[in-house]
Amino acid sequence: MLTIKGITKIFNEGTVNENIALSNFSLTLEEGDFVTVIGGNGAGKSTLLNCVAGVYGVNQGSILIGEKDVTKLPEYKRADVIGRVFQDPMKGTAADMGIEENLALAYRRGKIRGLGWGISNKERQIYKNYLSHLDLGLEDRLSDKVGLLSGGQRQALTLLMATLKKPRLLLLDEHTAALDPKTAEKVLKLSDQFVKEGNLTTMMVTHNMRHAIEHGNRLIMMHEGKVILDIKGKEKKDLTVENLLKRFGQASGEEFANDRALLS
Ligand SMILES: Nc1ncnc2c1ncn2[C@@H]1O[C@H](COP(=O)(O)OP(=O)(O)OP(=O)(O)O)[C@@H](O)[C@H]1O
C-alpha cells in the first residue's frame, strides 16, 4: 500500500547548514498495517511524514501509494488519498464553522466544493450517527462552532474527519501529544477503532514509547534518518519500554535521547 524506496531529504543542501534528515530511507507497508514510529530528537520522524504527505519534496528515491508513484505530486494532489491528524488540535478543523459544516467539508471532499447547497436532513442524520461513535455528546451539538470544543473533543473530530472518506493512508503526527493523559488515551482508543473498522494503512509518530508498543502491529525506531529497529507481530506484543531502550542502545551505539519520550 505504501512503498517508500530509498528516500533522502537534505535541508539547506550545499550550505554550511546542510542537514541530511532522511538518508536512503525505505519502508513498505501492507494494506491495513498500522506502524508506530519512534526515535530520538531530530531522528527524522516529522520529516518522514511531511515527505509522504508531499509537504516536502525528496532529493532522491520514490514514494508509491498503492501502485501510484506520488513522488513528484504536490501536497494538495495527494490529499484525496491521505488523511492526516496533527499534534495541534487547532489544525485540521475550521474554528469559526459549526461541527456539521466541518463534517460536511470532509464528507464532500472530492465531490462538490464548498457548502453552497446547504446540509440536508439526511446528511445531518449521517453526521449524527458518526459523531455518536465518538461518545462525546457532540451529536447533540451539530451547530456549535468547533472553536468552542475542548482540545480532546476537537482532536476526536479531526480524527473522524480524516478517516470519514477511508483514506488509503492515515498519518497520525503526534496527534495526542498536546492532550492530557486521560484524553490522549481516549483519542488513541478511537484511533484504534477507526483504523480497525476501515482497515486503514496507518503511520503514527509518537514520542510515547508505551503508546508505540501498545498500538499498531508494527513499530519502527528511527535514528539519524534511518530505520534502526523494525519490530512486528508477537515480538512487538512482548516489548517493554525498558527492552526497547536497550535495543535502541544496541542498534545505534548511543543512549536514547528524546526529552519528551523519556519524560512521558
Ligand atoms: N524545515 C527544516 N529546515 C531545516 N532543517 C530541518 C527542517 N525540518 C527539520 N529539519 C532538521 O531535520 C532533522 C530531522 O528533524 P525532524 O523534525 O524530522 O525530527 P523528529 O524526529 O521529528 O524530531 P523531534 O522528535 O525532536 O521532533 C533535524 O536535524 C532538524 O533540525
Side-chain angles (χ1 to χ4, degrees), residues 11-12 19 21 39-48 56 174 258 260:
F11 289 108
N12 306 313
N19 190 341
N41 299 322
K45 305 177 293 291
S46 301
T47 304
L48 172 65
Y56 300 143
E174 301 219 31
N258 187 319
R260 287 178 303 151

Side-chain angles (χ1 to χ4, degrees), residues 92-111:
T93 45
D96 292 335
M97 289 168 69
I99 293 175
E100 64 178 9
E101 291 169 328
N102 271 276
L103 277 169
L105 281 178
Y107 190 68
R108 297 173 184 187
R109 201 163 69 168
K111 282 196 202 154

Side-chain angles (χ1 to χ4, degrees), residues 51-69:
C51 287
V52 171
V55 178
Y56 300 143
V58 294
N59 296 77
Q60 257 176 48
S62 61
I63 301 171
L64 279 80
I65 298 178
E67 298 293 302
K68 190 170 169 145
D69 189 332

Side-chain angles (χ1 to χ4, degrees), residues 9 47 52 67-68 76 83 89 104 150 190 203 223 242 255 259-260:
K9 175 67 193 170
T47 304
V52 171
E67 298 293 302
K68 190 170 169 145
Y76 75 93
S150 70
L190 283 171
M203 289 176 89
H223 181 59
E242 198 186 8
E255 273 210 23
D259 322 335
R260 287 178 303 151

